[in-house]
Amino acid sequence: MFDQPASCDPDELTPDEKIEALIEADAHKRRVMEGAEYELLKREIRRMADALEHEDDRLPVIRSLSDELALPDEEQAYAIDRLLPLGGNALFAGRYKAGKTTFNGQLLKAWADAEHGAKFLGEFECYPDPERPVVTIFNYEMSEAQFRRWLRRVGIRNTHNVNVVHLRGLSLVLALPAVRERVAGWLRESRTGLWIVDPASRAMAGMGDGSDNKDVNLFVGWLDEIKAMAGVRDMVLNIHMSHAAAVDKSAERALGAQAWSAWADALWFLTLEEKGGVKSRWFHADGRDVSMDKMLVSYQAEDMSVALVDIDPERHEESKMENAILECITQNPGCSTRVIRDSVTGSNTKIAAGLERLIRDQKVIVREGAGNKREHFDRATYPTLPPTLNGQVQDPST
């Protein structure tokens, strides 16, 4: 802190004390001005450092609109069909333990084995750069042994087109120019065309938690710089969703700053839902020339393969309700509506609607029991019971 001049009543000071007070006040003013000038100098140094860090010798393309519109339109090309534009960056956001690493394994296989007909998620073709066909993954989360076991189960044929960099427990400080040059060298020498980083939070190494736009802009700028130096065409960056996404669908986005989404050309989302003890995973995508509605994820544990099921989320919920009702009826032949409501999780309205659909589709038949109670049977087990019409039992003689 700067010294403050003494405070007292000027009328009580002697002439000498008044002169001394004026001198002290003048010295204080000079110290304040010197401090302010030093603070301004520090700010100027910081602005200059930021400018030098982002300095780019490349010149932009400048055209008049007339010249721009005179150029022919090219059809949008993709690195991954409909999911990642050629030369783009994908931000893959998913809940904790939702299965992003499993998706990474399938992307490695689809990219490396594209010539053998492999497709990402069973339907999206990949188009590697013929000059740089290798996909390199920076693995920050899994141990070497576990990651190796997982990749062995995936069954990649062109293993020479996959490069794995194990970084768990290591600090790779991309803020340092020498480190960025070293990373670019690894990618360039391995002929990497697709670079996967899993996850962003570990790769940021001492730059905060990814919630500050300035930090994020610096970090993704370094990623783009490395890509340019290395000749890497495409990139997929994994990022965690907020834990709040487990209970709040509005939180199903990349965790942290808005700068993440602004940087990405494609946004991939993997969500995990749990209802009635049953888990389901959903995948959808958005971005520049990227749009894919939410689809159900089908997972096979044997080879860790992942495929998408084209089903409407609302219809999927209805189907799960119908399966729960049918299971209750199968285990309790002739059960009443009350038994079904007590056994199945969900609102009475949704249970009633599900039961009505099963009766309409003739998967469940109903007959009148004692006391005019409705008895429910599954048609597959009791095919000889009389059919129903609009929920009412038909007279078998008619």
Side-chain angles (χ1 to χ4, degrees):
M1 294 292 293
F2 298 111
D3 296 334
Q4 298 292 331
S7 177
C8 60
D9 188 349
D11 294 335
E12 298 178 356
L13 298 177
T14 66
D16 290 341
E17 288 174 336
K18 288 182 179 180
I19 293 174
E20 186 177 345
L22 289 172
I23 293 173
E24 184 177 345
D26 187 59
H28 173 73
K29 182 179 179 180
R30 285 199 307 272
R31 287 193 294 270
V32 170
M33 288 299 297
E34 290 170 358
E37 290 172 355
Y38 177 63
E39 182 63 31
L40 289 173
L41 177 61
K42 289 197 300 181
R43 295 183 185 183
E44 182 65 24
I45 291 172
R46 187 160 53 248
R47 284 194 293 268
M48 181 59 70
D50 289 342
L52 290 173
E53 191 169 37
H54 291 87
E55 187 178 20
D56 195 334
D57 293 333
R58 295 172 298 177
L59 296 176
V61 175
I62 302 174
R63 298 191 186 100
S64 71
L65 181 58
S66 298
D67 291 340
E68 187 74 28
L69 297 181
L71 295 173
D73 290 332
E74 297 180 0
E75 185 178 351
Q76 176 63 60
Y78 289 89
I80 304 174
D81 188 34
R82 292 174 287 156
L83 290 183
L84 179 60
L86 200 69
N89 298 318
L91 188 71
F92 185 18
R95 277 181 52 191
Y96 178 70
K97 300 302 183 185
K100 294 189 300 300
T101 304
T102 302
F103 269 64
N104 286 337
Q106 292 304 306
L107 180 52
L108 292 174
K109 178 178 176 61
W111 195 268
D113 293 344
E115 64 180 89
H116 300 299
K119 297 182 179 181
F120 183 44
L121 306 182
E123 63 176 280
F124 302 105
E125 290 191 41
C126 295
Y127 303 99
D129 182 349
E131 301 299 320
R132 309 190 66 83
V134 172
V135 49
T136 293
I137 181 167
F138 277 25
N139 165 42
Y140 281 92
E141 286 203 321
M142 297 182 68
S143 69
E144 293 184 34
Q146 185 180 31
F147 198 62
R148 184 164 52 251
R149 286 196 300 271
W150 280 36
L151 289 183
R152 199 182 304 278
R153 288 165 59 189
V154 170
I156 298 171
R157 295 173 64 176
N158 290 341
T159 54
H160 57 280
N161 279 344
V162 178
N163 195 28
V164 180
V165 181
H166 293 293
L167 293 164
R168 180 173 176 174
L170 299 179
S171 181
L172 196 63
V173 186
L174 298 183
L176 300 175
V179 174
R180 297 199 294 274
E181 291 177 6
R182 189 188 317 150
V183 172
W186 297 344
L187 298 173
R188 182 172 53 250
E189 292 166 10
S190 62
R191 299 174 65 208
T192 294
L194 171 63
W195 182 22
I196 303 174
V197 175
D198 181 27
S201 57
R202 301 285 179 85
M204 288 188 74
M207 291 189 62
D209 59 3
S211 61
D212 185 272
N213 280 312
K214 182 178 179 181
D215 289 344
V216 171
N217 279 323
L218 273 175
F219 176 69
V220 297
W222 293 332
L223 296 181
D224 285 337
E225 178 187 335
I226 292 171
K227 284 181 60 183
M229 287 193 295
V232 171
R233 192 187 68 185
D234 312 300
M235 182 170 192
V236 175
L237 178 64
N238 289 193
I239 192 169
H240 294 302
M241 286 181 181
S242 166
H243 288 292
V247 293
D248 183 4
K249 288 188 177 295
S250 66
E252 291 180 350
R253 56 180 176 80
L255 174 61
Q258 293 296 321
W260 290 117
S261 300
W263 166 78
D265 299 287
L267 300 169
W268 302 351
F269 300 95
L270 180 62
T271 56
L272 176 64
E273 299 177 6
E274 184 171 359
K275 292 185 179 180
V278 178
K279 292 182 178 180
S280 60
R281 289 171 171 81
W282 297 83
F283 178 82
H284 69 283
D286 200 0
R288 305 176 186 114
D289 293 306
V290 174
S291 180
M292 195 194 83
D293 293 335
K294 185 177 284 189
M295 296 179 70
L296 181 66
V297 175
S298 173
Y299 169 72
Q300 299 296 325
E302 182 178 353
D303 60 356
M304 300 186 68
S305 62
V306 178
L308 300 180
V309 181
D310 189 5
I311 182 172
D312 180 78
E314 184 176 344
R315 178 56 192 140
H316 176 67
E317 292 302 316
E318 292 177 349
S319 178
K320 288 198 296 184
M321 175 61 74
E322 292 166 14
N323 290 338
I325 295 171
L326 195 58
E327 182 179 359
C328 173
I329 293 173
T330 302
Q331 294 177 354
N332 304 278
C335 62
S336 65
T337 303
R338 178 179 294 276
V339 170
I340 296 172
R341 287 175 176 171
D342 290 343
S343 302
V344 176
T345 301
S347 68
N348 288 341
T349 301
K350 290 186 176 181
I351 293 173
L355 183 57
E356 183 179 335
R357 289 192 298 271
L358 289 169
I359 295 171
R360 181 197 63 203
D361 296 339
Q362 297 190 10
K363 294 180 180 179
V364 167
I365 52 180
V366 184
R367 70 180 182 185
E368 187 176 323
N372 294 326
K373 290 185 178 180
R374 286 159 56 100
E375 297 179 339
H376 300 83
F377 299 84
D378 73 288
R379 191 174 186 83
T381 307
Y382 296 90
T384 59
L385 288 174
T388 62
L389 181 64
N390 297 326
Q392 301 298 318
V393 179
Q394 286 184 287
D395 184 344
S397 64
T398 61

